[in-house]
Amino acid sequence: MPLVIGVDFDNTIVSYEGVFYLAALERNLIPSDLPPSKGSIRDYFRSSGREDLWTELQGYVYGAKMDSAQPYPEVSSFFALCAEKKIPTYIISHKTRCPYLGPPYDLHSSAKEWLKQHAFLSPAFFELTLEEKLKRISHERCEVFVDDLPEVLEHADFPKGVRKILFDPHRRSGPSESYESVKNWEEVVKILRLSAYES
Ligand SMILES: [Mg+2]
């Protein structure tokens, strides 16, 4: 049985740990004693009624600060192992072409450039909407999909019969009946038994 694995991009392959904090500090948007997580920065803007700054900061990070973002530990080994085992892998994400606010960075080309710089060679699809992303998962005949968002995996239009894995490094989501959870890429390799996989 051939195995086909689809993988989301933002916060699944790419870790923005610390990047939002540094970008916000650089632009003097937050106090430096704020905890450095993406969530605490988002909450800071929301609680001060500056959701627009948060939206603009996201455009800045995804468009101009991708160089500061790193791959999650072992995600490169996961793709290398799949290549060695001849398991097709696809990177399937959705994002708008330009940020909603602020300078019109081309978010698709920033993401593709990052993939190239970090030597990810799998075909990558950046769809404009979540609906198109879900169609792409089905069109590429993914049998497994890894994503960091429960709302993607639990979406009513998520293709049936795909094994769903939630990438949840900070264990934010509780257990679910509709997907398995992992906290790192070693666990993905383990639960899919990729080391022992023979095509
Ligand atoms: Mg994501």
Side-chain angles (χ1 to χ4, degrees):
M1 276 289 281
L3 185 64
V4 178
I5 306 177
V7 182
D8 172 52
F9 180 68
D10 289 314
N11 303 300
T12 299
I13 292 175
V14 195
S15 166
Y16 294 96
E17 208 75 48
V19 180
F20 281 88
Y21 177 75
L22 289 175
L25 266 192
E26 177 196 312
R27 310 181 95 194
N28 286 319
L29 297 173
I30 54 166
S32 62
D33 59 353
L34 208 64
S37 74
K38 181 179 170 185
S40 71
I41 292 156
R42 182 194 55 218
D43 295 346
Y44 174 79
F45 288 127
R46 283 194 179 152
S47 64
S48 54
R50 295 309 308 270
E51 186 93 29
D52 56 330
L53 285 179
W54 171 240
T55 305
E56 195 181 334
L57 186 67
Q58 290 180 83
Y60 179 61
V61 166
Y62 297 138
K65 298 297 279 184
M66 286 298 290
D67 285 355
S68 319
Q70 292 303 313
Y72 273 102
E74 300 305 323
V75 65
S76 298
S77 316
F78 160 82
F79 280 101
L81 182 60
C82 290
E84 183 195 316
K85 301 278 183 182
K86 304 210 170 3
I87 298 170
T89 50
Y90 296 96
I91 295 165
I92 302 177
S93 165
H94 88 281
K95 49 170 81 213
T96 56
R97 175 65 78 167
C98 292
Y100 290 108
L101 282 179
Y105 302 112
D106 183 332
L107 304 182
H108 290 202
S109 67
S110 301
K112 285 177 185 163
E113 191 50 41
W114 187 92
L115 284 170
K116 211 198 288 177
Q117 273 172 12
H118 291 275
F120 286 94
L121 303 173
S122 307
F125 300 94
F126 291 92
E127 305 294 350
L128 293 170
T129 64
L130 175 57
E131 285 66 29
E132 288 171 90
K133 170 177 174 172
L134 298 175
K135 277 191 199 141
R136 177 61 68 185
I137 294 169
S138 151
H139 188 259
E140 302 308 324
R141 301 179 193 280
C142 296
E143 286 159 278
V144 177
F145 198 77
V146 187
D147 201 294
D148 66 297
L149 292 177
E151 55 266 41
V152 171
L153 300 176
E154 289 177 326
H155 195 283
D157 296 330
F158 195 92
K160 302 279 170 277
V162 178
R163 186 169 174 183
K164 304 186 244 187
I165 300 176
L166 181 76
F167 182 74
D168 187 12
H170 300 291
R171 286 270 183 252
R172 288 205 180 92
S173 304
S176 161
E177 303 226 317
S178 67
Y179 53 74
E180 299 156 81
S181 291
V182 295
K183 61 177 189 315
N184 55 49
W185 277 95
E186 285 98 325
E187 266 187 77
V188 178
V189 169
K190 203 159 132 195
I191 66 172
L192 295 177
R193 300 170 190 267
L194 294 182
S195 301
Y197 182 84
E198 283 174 46
S199 51

